Amino acid sequence: MEALLRDSYGRAIRDLRVSVTDKCNFRCFYCLPHGSPQETAPKAEILSYEEIERAVSVFASLGVERVRITGGEPMLRRDIETLVSKLARVPGVKDLSLTTNAFNLSERAAGLKAAGLGRVTVSLDSLRRAAFHEMTGVDMLGRVLEGVRAARRVGLTPVKVNAVIVRGYNEGEIADMAAFAREHAVVMRFIEYMPLDSGHGWSREKVVSGAEIRAAVNERFLLVARRGERGSETATRYRFADGAPGEVGIIAPVTEPFCGACSRVRLTADGQIRTCLFSKAEHSLRGLLRGGATREELADHVRAVVMQKEPRHYINETHFEQPARTMSLIGG
Ligand code: SAM
């Protein structure tokens, strides 16, 4: 194996999030405002499955072990199962997962599993039809719930369920979502609202803090922190004190930043490496991939880019500026 990827602060890079499309069929207001025309890259700029496979194999040869396919909505990309089967075979990739809004997961979960996918994360912001519709811009709660069930049925487990908690929308549902985790034996992950929305509607007042989320769950179900090192995980993890199935994770990048242990980099659908969700700069890999670069040249480029990884995000500082690209374009 070539020397492991490390940034200039000594952080080992083990996780790669690969966005496969910048298109989405939902309009979650905290990401893309409702009704907004989406600015997407021309098709010719989007990496092919072969290019993605090559890029992932370079990252994996440098020590990346966990790969998450995301977007936009990754299941809008044609035959995503083909990409899954390619990435599942890349030497060094130990954990292959996919983040989806689950609009057609119930029909495709078995095929994804057969193609070699390890597990899925499903976004689900509300268990109430009207609030779900309001937050996502689509009336698809029933289909998403079906998708969660199907993922469990075929063994795309542990199924993680992501809910972005935004004050004024769904903070009253936190304990109900914890109940959902117990009932369906899933990992319910509550995420603080981050300034990554295209409508620039983010404000500190709308952020429901990790501490508030913890308190809201604890009021109904006592939580016990899971023992062991948190490592580079985004979430602090809890089990239910009464031994019920399921788990709760709290992802609090705004009020409890975890940049010091960050092990992630991202590859956008148009082939740019991003070293932080909040990066101001992107580093093209596409040019090299398409310009006949050797594997060693690609690896050298990746190493050099990773050395520029930011020490931390600056959300809590006065000079903070939101990145130009939204989560749907970066790949969440
Ligand atoms: N379309 C897929 C989905 O819905 O899961 C994958 C892409 S989506 C951008 C990935 C995750 O980013 C979702 O769980 C979403 O809720 C989260 N996300 C998007 N914008 C966010 C924001 N402003 N703050 C926190 N999380 C956000």
Side-chain angles (χ1 to χ4, degrees), residues 23-26 28 30-31 69-74 99-102 121-125 162-164 191-197 202 327-329 331-332:
K23 298 198 172 77
C24 193
N25 52 348
F26 281 28
C28 306
Y30 51 76
C31 189
I69 301 170
T70 182
E73 173 46 48
T99 301
T100 177
N101 62 29
T121 297
V122 171
S123 297
L124 171 60
D125 296 324
N162 278 355
V164 180
I191 307 177
E192 285 181 350
Y193 179 23
M194 291 183 276
L196 287 167
D197 55 316
W202 184 87
M327 193 72 136
S328 70
L329 300 178

mmCIF file of all heavy atoms in Angstrom, residues 23-26 28 30-31 69-74 99-102 121-125 162-164 191-197 202 327-329 331-332, ligand 1:
data_model
loop_
_atom_site.group_PDB
_atom_site.id
_atom_site.type_symbol
_atom_site.label_atom_id
_atom_site.label_comp_id
_atom_site.label_asym_id
_atom_site.label_seq_id
_atom_site.Cartn_x
_atom_site.Cartn_y
_atom_site.Cartn_z
ATOM 1 N N LYS A 23 -28.476 16.560 -9.352
ATOM 2 C CA LYS A 23 -29.928 16.727 -9.513
ATOM 3 C C LYS A 23 -30.665 16.101 -8.338
ATOM 4 O O LYS A 23 -30.215 15.104 -7.771
ATOM 5 C CB LYS A 23 -30.388 16.028 -10.785
ATOM 6 C CG LYS A 23 -29.780 16.597 -12.050
ATOM 7 C CD LYS A 23 -30.607 16.150 -13.247
ATOM 8 C CE LYS A 23 -30.152 16.843 -14.502
ATOM 9 N NZ LYS A 23 -28.912 16.297 -15.055
ATOM 10 N N CYS A 24 -31.788 16.691 -8.005
ATOM 11 C CA CYS A 24 -32.608 16.106 -6.949
ATOM 12 C C CYS A 24 -34.074 16.265 -7.310
ATOM 13 O O CYS A 24 -34.464 17.236 -7.951
ATOM 14 C CB CYS A 24 -32.320 16.750 -5.596
ATOM 15 S SG CYS A 24 -33.037 15.773 -4.247
ATOM 16 N N ASN A 25 -34.889 15.297 -6.881
ATOM 17 C CA ASN A 25 -36.325 15.364 -7.140
ATOM 18 C C ASN A 25 -37.100 15.822 -5.911
ATOM 19 O O ASN A 25 -38.315 15.891 -5.941
ATOM 20 C CB ASN A 25 -36.839 14.013 -7.655
ATOM 21 C CG ASN A 25 -36.423 12.867 -6.748
ATOM 22 O OD1 ASN A 25 -35.581 13.034 -5.860
ATOM 23 N ND2 ASN A 25 -37.001 11.703 -6.955
ATOM 24 N N PHE A 26 -36.418 16.110 -4.805
ATOM 25 C CA PHE A 26 -37.046 16.709 -3.637
ATOM 26 C C PHE A 26 -36.589 18.165 -3.576
ATOM 27 O O PHE A 26 -35.604 18.537 -4.221
ATOM 28 C CB PHE A 26 -36.612 15.988 -2.352
ATOM 29 C CG PHE A 26 -37.315 14.672 -2.086
ATOM 30 C CD1 PHE A 26 -37.820 13.886 -3.108
ATOM 31 C CD2 PHE A 26 -37.464 14.209 -0.783
ATOM 32 C CE1 PHE A 26 -38.453 12.666 -2.857
ATOM 33 C CE2 PHE A 26 -38.099 12.985 -0.515
ATOM 34 C CZ PHE A 26 -38.586 12.216 -1.549
ATOM 35 N N CYS A 28 -36.015 20.008 -0.407
ATOM 36 C CA CYS A 28 -35.923 20.278 1.032
ATOM 37 C C CYS A 28 -35.488 21.734 1.187
ATOM 38 O O CYS A 28 -34.456 22.124 0.629
ATOM 39 C CB CYS A 28 -34.933 19.325 1.661
ATOM 40 S SG CYS A 28 -35.343 17.597 1.300
ATOM 41 N N TYR A 30 -34.126 23.435 3.369
ATOM 42 C CA TYR A 30 -32.841 23.754 4.004
ATOM 43 C C TYR A 30 -31.674 23.440 3.069
ATOM 44 O O TYR A 30 -30.508 23.602 3.433
ATOM 45 C CB TYR A 30 -32.700 22.976 5.321
ATOM 46 C CG TYR A 30 -32.963 21.494 5.183
ATOM 47 C CD1 TYR A 30 -32.015 20.663 4.607
ATOM 48 C CD2 TYR A 30 -34.173 20.940 5.594
ATOM 49 C CE1 TYR A 30 -32.255 19.313 4.445
ATOM 50 C CE2 TYR A 30 -34.423 19.583 5.445
ATOM 51 C CZ TYR A 30 -33.458 18.779 4.862
ATOM 52 O OH TYR A 30 -33.704 17.444 4.692
ATOM 53 N N CYS A 31 -31.991 22.976 1.878
ATOM 54 C CA CYS A 31 -30.960 22.615 0.904
ATOM 55 C C CYS A 31 -31.243 23.376 -0.394
ATOM 56 O O CYS A 31 -30.467 24.212 -0.829
ATOM 57 C CB CYS A 31 -30.998 21.102 0.701
ATOM 58 S SG CYS A 31 -29.650 20.413 -0.262
ATOM 59 N N ILE A 69 -22.027 6.839 -1.287
ATOM 60 C CA ILE A 69 -22.543 7.386 -2.545
ATOM 61 C C ILE A 69 -23.675 8.344 -2.197
ATOM 62 O O ILE A 69 -24.587 7.993 -1.441
ATOM 63 C CB ILE A 69 -23.066 6.252 -3.451
ATOM 64 C CG1 ILE A 69 -21.958 5.243 -3.751
ATOM 65 C CG2 ILE A 69 -23.652 6.814 -4.741
ATOM 66 C CD1 ILE A 69 -22.448 3.970 -4.439
ATOM 67 N N THR A 70 -23.598 9.554 -2.738
ATOM 68 C CA THR A 70 -24.607 10.535 -2.366
ATOM 69 C C THR A 70 -24.898 11.460 -3.545
ATOM 70 O O THR A 70 -24.587 11.145 -4.688
ATOM 71 C CB THR A 70 -24.158 11.280 -1.077
ATOM 72 O OG1 THR A 70 -25.178 12.200 -0.706
ATOM 73 C CG2 THR A 70 -22.831 12.018 -1.233
ATOM 74 N N GLY A 71 -25.519 12.602 -3.254
ATOM 75 C CA GLY A 71 -25.866 13.518 -4.334
ATOM 76 C C GLY A 71 -26.236 14.875 -3.774
ATOM 77 O O GLY A 71 -25.879 15.178 -2.634
ATOM 78 N N GLY A 72 -27.028 15.594 -4.452
ATOM 79 C CA GLY A 72 -28.215 15.314 -5.227
ATOM 80 C C GLY A 72 -28.896 14.028 -4.754
ATOM 81 O O GLY A 72 -28.643 13.556 -3.667
ATOM 82 N N GLU A 73 -29.732 13.497 -5.589
ATOM 83 C CA GLU A 73 -30.338 12.206 -5.239
ATOM 84 C C GLU A 73 -29.661 11.125 -6.073
ATOM 85 O O GLU A 73 -29.893 11.035 -7.281
ATOM 86 C CB GLU A 73 -31.854 12.249 -5.467
ATOM 87 C CG GLU A 73 -32.535 10.905 -5.286
ATOM 88 C CD GLU A 73 -32.088 10.147 -4.033
ATOM 89 O OE1 GLU A 73 -32.047 10.729 -2.935
ATOM 90 O OE2 GLU A 73 -31.752 8.947 -4.152
ATOM 91 N N PRO A 74 -28.838 10.284 -5.424
ATOM 92 C CA PRO A 74 -28.039 9.323 -6.192
ATOM 93 C C PRO A 74 -28.874 8.328 -6.991
ATOM 94 O O PRO A 74 -28.431 7.846 -8.027
ATOM 95 C CB PRO A 74 -27.192 8.619 -5.129
ATOM 96 C CG PRO A 74 -27.839 8.916 -3.832
ATOM 97 C CD PRO A 74 -28.534 10.225 -3.990
ATOM 98 N N THR A 99 -26.625 7.335 0.564
ATOM 99 C CA THR A 99 -27.595 8.225 1.223
ATOM 100 C C THR A 99 -28.656 8.592 0.200
ATOM 101 O O THR A 99 -28.329 9.016 -0.908
ATOM 102 C CB THR A 99 -26.898 9.509 1.721
ATOM 103 O OG1 THR A 99 -25.869 9.143 2.617
ATOM 104 C CG2 THR A 99 -27.869 10.403 2.471
ATOM 105 N N THR A 100 -29.921 8.419 0.581
ATOM 106 C CA THR A 100 -31.005 8.612 -0.387
ATOM 107 C C THR A 100 -32.233 9.220 0.271
ATOM 108 O O THR A 100 -32.438 9.068 1.473
ATOM 109 C CB THR A 100 -31.387 7.264 -1.035
ATOM 110 O OG1 THR A 100 -32.494 7.460 -1.924
ATOM 111 C CG2 THR A 100 -31.757 6.204 -0.017
ATOM 112 N N ASN A 101 -33.050 9.870 -0.545
ATOM 113 C CA ASN A 101 -34.343 10.323 -0.026
ATOM 114 C C ASN A 101 -35.372 9.202 -0.085
ATOM 115 O O ASN A 101 -36.508 9.380 0.342
ATOM 116 C CB ASN A 101 -34.822 11.581 -0.753
ATOM 117 C CG ASN A 101 -35.039 11.369 -2.244
ATOM 118 O OD1 ASN A 101 -35.364 10.281 -2.699
ATOM 119 N ND2 ASN A 101 -34.889 12.444 -3.019
ATOM 120 N N ALA A 102 -34.990 8.048 -0.637
ATOM 121 C CA ALA A 102 -35.783 6.811 -0.596
ATOM 122 C C ALA A 102 -37.050 6.841 -1.435
ATOM 123 O O ALA A 102 -37.922 6.003 -1.259
ATOM 124 C CB ALA A 102 -36.108 6.426 0.856
ATOM 125 N N THR A 121 -28.490 5.137 4.238
ATOM 126 C CA THR A 121 -28.991 6.179 5.133
ATOM 127 C C THR A 121 -30.141 6.843 4.400
ATOM 128 O O THR A 121 -30.005 7.206 3.231
ATOM 129 C CB THR A 121 -27.894 7.224 5.423
ATOM 130 O OG1 THR A 121 -26.814 6.574 6.098
ATOM 131 C CG2 THR A 121 -28.418 8.350 6.305
ATOM 132 N N VAL A 122 -31.267 6.951 5.085
ATOM 133 C CA VAL A 122 -32.466 7.536 4.473
ATOM 134 C C VAL A 122 -32.762 8.870 5.146
ATOM 135 O O VAL A 122 -32.727 8.966 6.374
ATOM 136 C CB VAL A 122 -33.672 6.585 4.647
ATOM 137 C CG1 VAL A 122 -34.967 7.255 4.211
ATOM 138 C CG2 VAL A 122 -33.459 5.287 3.871
ATOM 139 N N SER A 123 -33.044 9.883 4.342
ATOM 140 C CA SER A 123 -33.423 11.171 4.923
ATOM 141 C C SER A 123 -34.917 11.179 5.196
ATOM 142 O O SER A 123 -35.708 10.808 4.333
ATOM 143 C CB SER A 123 -33.072 12.305 3.961
ATOM 144 O OG SER A 123 -31.675 12.332 3.793
ATOM 145 N N LEU A 124 -35.293 11.563 6.395
ATOM 146 C CA LEU A 124 -36.710 11.568 6.791
ATOM 147 C C LEU A 124 -36.875 12.647 7.861
ATOM 148 O O LEU A 124 -36.477 12.447 8.999
ATOM 149 C CB LEU A 124 -37.096 10.181 7.345
ATOM 150 C CG LEU A 124 -38.449 10.018 8.002
ATOM 151 C CD1 LEU A 124 -39.586 10.338 7.033
ATOM 152 C CD2 LEU A 124 -38.626 8.589 8.532
ATOM 153 N N ASP A 125 -37.442 13.774 7.471
ATOM 154 C CA ASP A 125 -37.469 14.926 8.373
ATOM 155 C C ASP A 125 -38.720 15.025 9.230
ATOM 156 O O ASP A 125 -38.761 15.833 10.154
ATOM 157 C CB ASP A 125 -37.312 16.225 7.571
ATOM 158 C CG ASP A 125 -35.963 16.310 6.892
ATOM 159 O OD1 ASP A 125 -34.978 15.849 7.492
ATOM 160 O OD2 ASP A 125 -35.889 16.814 5.758
ATOM 161 N N ASN A 162 -31.822 9.977 8.715
ATOM 162 C CA ASN A 162 -31.364 11.344 9.010
ATOM 163 C C ASN A 162 -32.528 12.314 9.086
ATOM 164 O O ASN A 162 -33.333 12.370 8.148
ATOM 165 C CB ASN A 162 -30.480 11.861 7.864
ATOM 166 C CG ASN A 162 -29.042 11.380 7.951
ATOM 167 O OD1 ASN A 162 -28.651 10.723 8.916
ATOM 168 N ND2 ASN A 162 -28.259 11.728 6.950
ATOM 169 N N ALA A 163 -32.592 13.092 10.141
ATOM 170 C CA ALA A 163 -33.577 14.173 10.206
ATOM 171 C C ALA A 163 -32.846 15.470 10.525
ATOM 172 O O ALA A 163 -32.128 15.553 11.527
ATOM 173 C CB ALA A 163 -34.616 13.893 11.285
ATOM 174 N N VAL A 164 -32.994 16.460 9.660
ATOM 175 C CA VAL A 164 -32.456 17.787 9.956
ATOM 176 C C VAL A 164 -33.515 18.489 10.816
ATOM 177 O O VAL A 164 -34.672 18.595 10.405
ATOM 178 C CB VAL A 164 -32.202 18.599 8.664
ATOM 179 C CG1 VAL A 164 -31.632 19.976 8.997
ATOM 180 C CG2 VAL A 164 -31.258 17.847 7.736
ATOM 181 N N ILE A 191 -29.790 15.893 13.005
ATOM 182 C CA ILE A 191 -28.714 16.745 12.473
ATOM 183 C C ILE A 191 -29.050 18.215 12.703
ATOM 184 O O ILE A 191 -30.175 18.653 12.402
ATOM 185 C CB ILE A 191 -28.536 16.500 10.951
ATOM 186 C CG1 ILE A 191 -28.345 15.010 10.674
ATOM 187 C CG2 ILE A 191 -27.371 17.307 10.391
ATOM 188 C CD1 ILE A 191 -28.231 14.665 9.191
ATOM 189 N N GLU A 192 -28.098 18.952 13.227
ATOM 190 C CA GLU A 192 -28.301 20.404 13.332
ATOM 191 C C GLU A 192 -28.334 21.029 11.938
ATOM 192 O O GLU A 192 -27.583 20.612 11.043
ATOM 193 C CB GLU A 192 -27.144 21.036 14.122
ATOM 194 C CG GLU A 192 -27.221 20.791 15.613
ATOM 195 C CD GLU A 192 -26.076 21.457 16.381
ATOM 196 O OE1 GLU A 192 -25.125 21.959 15.755
ATOM 197 O OE2 GLU A 192 -26.124 21.459 17.615
ATOM 198 N N TYR A 193 -29.162 22.014 11.810
ATOM 199 C CA TYR A 193 -29.324 22.755 10.547
ATOM 200 C C TYR A 193 -28.039 23.554 10.286
ATOM 201 O O TYR A 193 -27.619 24.356 11.112
ATOM 202 C CB TYR A 193 -30.533 23.674 10.716
ATOM 203 C CG TYR A 193 -30.915 24.574 9.564
ATOM 204 C CD1 TYR A 193 -30.550 24.299 8.250
ATOM 205 C CD2 TYR A 193 -31.704 25.700 9.807
ATOM 206 C CE1 TYR A 193 -30.946 25.132 7.217
ATOM 207 C CE2 TYR A 193 -32.109 26.541 8.779
ATOM 208 C CZ TYR A 193 -31.719 26.250 7.481
ATOM 209 O OH TYR A 193 -32.113 27.073 6.465
ATOM 210 N N MET A 194 -27.445 23.323 9.108
ATOM 211 C CA MET A 194 -26.183 24.005 8.771
ATOM 212 C C MET A 194 -26.418 25.055 7.684
ATOM 213 O O MET A 194 -27.330 24.899 6.865
ATOM 214 C CB MET A 194 -25.153 22.991 8.257
ATOM 215 C CG MET A 194 -24.661 22.041 9.305
ATOM 216 S SD MET A 194 -23.387 20.944 8.634
ATOM 217 C CE MET A 194 -24.353 19.672 7.868
ATOM 218 N N PRO A 195 -25.578 26.076 7.642
ATOM 219 C CA PRO A 195 -25.746 27.125 6.617
ATOM 220 C C PRO A 195 -25.259 26.651 5.245
ATOM 221 O O PRO A 195 -24.212 27.052 4.772
ATOM 222 C CB PRO A 195 -24.894 28.281 7.160
ATOM 223 C CG PRO A 195 -23.914 27.649 8.081
ATOM 224 C CD PRO A 195 -24.526 26.398 8.617
ATOM 225 N N LEU A 196 -26.059 25.785 4.626
ATOM 226 C CA LEU A 196 -25.698 25.234 3.318
ATOM 227 C C LEU A 196 -26.886 25.275 2.375
ATOM 228 O O LEU A 196 -26.952 24.534 1.411
ATOM 229 C CB LEU A 196 -25.242 23.776 3.478
ATOM 230 C CG LEU A 196 -23.877 23.563 4.123
ATOM 231 C CD1 LEU A 196 -23.683 22.103 4.506
ATOM 232 C CD2 LEU A 196 -22.760 24.009 3.185
ATOM 233 N N ASP A 197 -27.838 26.113 2.659
ATOM 234 C CA ASP A 197 -29.076 26.159 1.875
ATOM 235 C C ASP A 197 -28.975 27.198 0.767
ATOM 236 O O ASP A 197 -28.397 28.271 0.961
ATOM 237 C CB ASP A 197 -30.252 26.504 2.791
ATOM 238 C CG ASP A 197 -30.023 27.800 3.561
ATOM 239 O OD1 ASP A 197 -28.907 27.988 4.071
ATOM 240 O OD2 ASP A 197 -30.945 28.625 3.629
ATOM 241 N N TRP A 202 -30.837 30.313 6.369
ATOM 242 C CA TRP A 202 -30.300 29.830 7.637
ATOM 243 C C TRP A 202 -30.128 30.976 8.619
ATOM 244 O O TRP A 202 -29.703 32.073 8.241
ATOM 245 C CB TRP A 202 -28.937 29.181 7.398
ATOM 246 C CG TRP A 202 -28.317 28.561 8.628
ATOM 247 C CD1 TRP A 202 -28.531 27.297 9.089
ATOM 248 C CD2 TRP A 202 -27.380 29.165 9.530
ATOM 249 N NE1 TRP A 202 -27.777 27.072 10.214
ATOM 250 C CE2 TRP A 202 -27.064 28.201 10.511
ATOM 251 C CE3 TRP A 202 -26.777 30.420 9.607
ATOM 252 C CZ2 TRP A 202 -26.172 28.450 11.556
ATOM 253 C CZ3 TRP A 202 -25.892 30.671 10.654
ATOM 254 C CH2 TRP A 202 -25.598 29.693 11.615
ATOM 255 N N MET A 327 -25.630 22.042 -0.276
ATOM 256 C CA MET A 327 -25.406 20.636 0.037
ATOM 257 C C MET A 327 -25.737 19.753 -1.162
ATOM 258 O O MET A 327 -25.041 18.781 -1.432
ATOM 259 C CB MET A 327 -26.293 20.283 1.224
ATOM 260 C CG MET A 327 -25.989 18.990 1.876
ATOM 261 S SD MET A 327 -24.447 19.075 2.800
ATOM 262 C CE MET A 327 -24.934 18.238 4.274
ATOM 263 N N SER A 328 -26.776 20.082 -1.907
ATOM 264 C CA SER A 328 -27.181 19.217 -3.024
ATOM 265 C C SER A 328 -26.120 19.214 -4.112
ATOM 266 O O SER A 328 -25.992 18.257 -4.865
ATOM 267 C CB SER A 328 -28.514 19.672 -3.608
ATOM 268 O OG SER A 328 -28.346 20.894 -4.283
ATOM 269 N N LEU A 329 -25.357 20.281 -4.212
ATOM 270 C CA LEU A 329 -24.310 20.347 -5.232
ATOM 271 C C LEU A 329 -22.978 19.784 -4.718
ATOM 272 O O LEU A 329 -22.163 19.308 -5.476
ATOM 273 C CB LEU A 329 -24.127 21.786 -5.728
ATOM 274 C CG LEU A 329 -25.372 22.420 -6.376
ATOM 275 C CD1 LEU A 329 -25.087 23.859 -6.772
ATOM 276 C CD2 LEU A 329 -25.814 21.625 -7.598
ATOM 277 N N GLY A 331 -22.747 17.386 -2.246
ATOM 278 C CA GLY A 331 -22.887 15.961 -1.918
ATOM 279 C C GLY A 331 -22.861 15.790 -0.426
ATOM 280 O O GLY A 331 -21.822 15.854 0.192
ATOM 281 N N GLY A 332 -24.043 15.606 0.151
ATOM 282 C CA GLY A 332 -24.166 15.572 1.615
ATOM 283 C C GLY A 332 -23.751 14.236 2.199
ATOM 284 O O GLY A 332 -23.544 13.280 1.502
HETATM 285 N N1 SAM B 1 -30.718 13.130 -1.712
HETATM 286 C C1 SAM B 1 -30.118 12.342 -0.697
HETATM 287 C C2 SAM B 1 -30.867 12.488 0.608
HETATM 288 O O1 SAM B 1 -31.905 13.110 0.621
HETATM 289 O O2 SAM B 1 -30.426 11.900 1.593
HETATM 290 C C3 SAM B 1 -28.627 12.583 -0.487
HETATM 291 C C4 SAM B 1 -28.121 13.980 -0.526
HETATM 292 S S1 SAM B 1 -28.637 15.028 0.823
HETATM 293 C C5 SAM B 1 -27.860 16.558 0.369
HETATM 294 C C6 SAM B 1 -27.664 14.393 2.167
HETATM 295 C C7 SAM B 1 -28.033 14.837 3.538
HETATM 296 O O3 SAM B 1 -27.695 16.204 3.679
HETATM 297 C C8 SAM B 1 -29.489 14.701 3.875
HETATM 298 O O4 SAM B 1 -29.657 13.873 4.999
HETATM 299 C C9 SAM B 1 -29.906 16.117 4.150
HETATM 300 O O5 SAM B 1 -30.908 16.171 5.108
HETATM 301 C C10 SAM B 1 -28.617 16.775 4.574
HETATM 302 N N2 SAM B 1 -28.634 18.241 4.450
HETATM 303 C C11 SAM B 1 -28.864 18.982 3.349
HETATM 304 N N3 SAM B 1 -28.829 20.305 3.605
HETATM 305 C C12 SAM B 1 -28.555 20.413 4.932
HETATM 306 C C13 SAM B 1 -28.391 21.511 5.815
HETATM 307 N N4 SAM B 1 -28.527 22.784 5.402
HETATM 308 N N5 SAM B 1 -28.109 21.254 7.114
HETATM 309 C C14 SAM B 1 -27.984 19.965 7.554
HETATM 310 N N6 SAM B 1 -28.126 18.891 6.771
HETATM 311 C C15 SAM B 1 -28.422 19.087 5.479
#
